[in-house]
Amino acid sequence: MSGGHVNIGEHATAIENLDLHPPPRVTFDFSVALMTINNPRSPETDTDFATLAITTLAPDGTEITKYGPTSKSLGDLGKGEEVNPGMSLKGIDVPDGGSVAFAFVVLNKGAWAGLSAVLDTMDLIGSGVVGALSQGQIAATDAAGSADVAFPEVVAVIAGIAVILEAAKLIFADCDGVVVPGLMKIGRTELLSNAGSQPWEMTVDYPGTDSHDGCGANSDYTVKYRIEATPAPIPKVAMPSLMGLSPRNASKDVQAAGLHGVEEIVVSDSAVVEPSVVVAQQPIAGTLVPIGDTVRYTVREFSVAARPRRAL
């Protein structure tokens, strides 16, 4: 960034503040807003546990950052019940040209009730599923068509998740199993298009696979997702100490800090020309300033005062 230069004569005066902040980078908040049990997998109620995990991907598909997993027990849920899982991951920074791999998986596992290691196991499942999704090992639903997921596609996704569950050496009773295989891949361009100006809500129905004899009919869950674009906070930097520096060095220090400097000059008469130095700065050294902000410093310059001529 280049610095400004203002000559203000004998006395310093206020100048217009220049707002040079770059547009804040947009990040995204992902949340599970509502889950409806249209039909449980078990005869009466499902004992549900959920995990949510996200991985951002570079344009070439390379994994960049993992968010979560976060897991929780959703309790015993019967037909027709609605629950707000209260699960979200915020501040997801998706790179330009990149995408996000999103995994929300719900298991019905009655035998887990009361076990202390349940959530740790769900975290492992969340990490494993989103990792396999990001690497292309599990089929993912394109978010553009997520409101109408075809049943064979859901079955394929459940089969892919089952491989992760087997690797975790989980033992399922007849009525246990995956009831929500919420896997999506969404590009940054699509996120900006759908969630850039207002929250993007999508409702997805997850028809389940056949249960064993003695269990309920096919499970059928509906989940509402919500994605919001949020400006990322502008990072801050400590204002450097400029007092006593030459204008050149002061400008270098300001630029090195990622700030925009406006130099104010005060000219003083003197019998001797002295070096120009910074005599005031705003804000003071050490103050935290948003990167890209405008700061000011005053440089005192000297000119030789006119001397009266002696009479000859």
Side-chain angles (χ1 to χ4, degrees):
M1 302 178 188
S2 59
H5 180 104
V6 181
N7 191 324
I8 56 178
E10 290 290 334
H11 301 286
T13 59
I15 63 174
E16 182 180 357
N17 182 36
L18 304 177
D19 185 6
L20 298 177
H21 286 305
R25 181 168 179 80
V26 173
T27 59
F28 300 92
D29 295 348
F30 290 74
S31 60
V32 184
L34 185 68
M35 186 175 78
T36 303
I37 298 80
N38 303 309
N39 205 72
R41 182 179 175 88
S42 300
E44 295 183 3
T45 61
D46 287 346
T47 302
D48 287 343
F49 300 87
T51 184
L52 174 64
I54 288 175
T55 295
T56 55
L57 307 173
D60 64 359
T62 303
E63 293 184 359
I64 300 177
T65 305
K66 293 183 178 180
Y67 298 83
T70 177
S71 304
K72 69 185 302 183
S73 169
L74 301 180
D76 294 334
L77 301 171
K79 184 174 182 178
E81 289 194 58
E82 294 184 341
V83 60
N84 179 356
M87 300 177 71
S88 63
L89 290 171
K90 299 183 177 182
I92 311 302
D93 189 0
V94 186
D96 295 332
S99 59
V100 59
F102 172 96
F104 175 65
V105 178
V106 181
L107 302 182
N108 164 45
K109 197 169 191 318
W112 265 355
L115 294 181
S116 59
V118 167
L119 298 186
D120 290 341
T121 303
M122 288 302 298
D123 283 348
L124 291 175
I125 293 171
S127 294
V129 169
V130 78
L133 171 63
S134 64
Q135 295 167 22
Q137 298 171 3
I138 303 180
T141 300
D142 181 358
S146 61
D148 185 19
V149 181
F151 180 73
E153 185 175 5
V154 172
V155 173
V157 171
I158 291 177
I161 294 176
V163 175
I164 307 298
L165 301 180
E166 289 175 5
K169 298 181 179 179
L170 295 182
I171 299 175
F172 287 91
D174 289 343
C175 298
D176 294 340
V178 178
V179 291
V180 175
L183 276 62
M184 292 184 284
K185 278 188 177 180
I186 313 174
R188 178 176 173 83
T189 300
E190 188 175 9
L191 288 168
L192 288 172
S193 175
N194 289 280
S197 59
Q198 60 185 5
W200 180 17
E201 292 188 344
M202 60 180 96
T203 301
V204 184
D205 185 58
Y206 297 103
T209 56
D210 288 334
S211 300
H212 291 80
D213 292 340
C215 299
N218 290 353
S219 65
D220 187 355
Y221 281 54
T222 300
V223 179
K224 178 185 288 186
Y225 300 102
R226 182 182 180 92
I227 305 173
E228 297 182 73
T230 56
I234 299 174
K236 295 184 178 182
V237 65
M239 175 69 180
S241 176
L242 308 178
M243 300 296 290
L245 297 182
S246 67
R248 180 181 180 84
N249 287 337
S251 177
K252 285 184 177 180
D253 286 2
V254 168
Q255 291 184 49
L259 303 171
H260 177 83
V262 174
E263 179 184 291
E264 302 171 348
I265 298 176
V266 173
V267 180
S268 296
D269 292 334
S270 173
V272 179
V273 176
E274 300 180 21
S276 300
V277 295
V278 176
V279 295
Q281 68 177 71
Q282 182 62 36
I284 62 173
T287 302
L288 292 179
V289 183
I291 289 179
D293 213 349
T294 300
V295 299
R296 303 180 180 83
Y297 54 95
T298 302
V299 173
R300 185 179 295 278
E301 293 186 351
F302 294 87
S303 63
V304 178
R307 298 176 181 175
R309 296 181 178 178
R310 289 188 301 168
L312 298 176

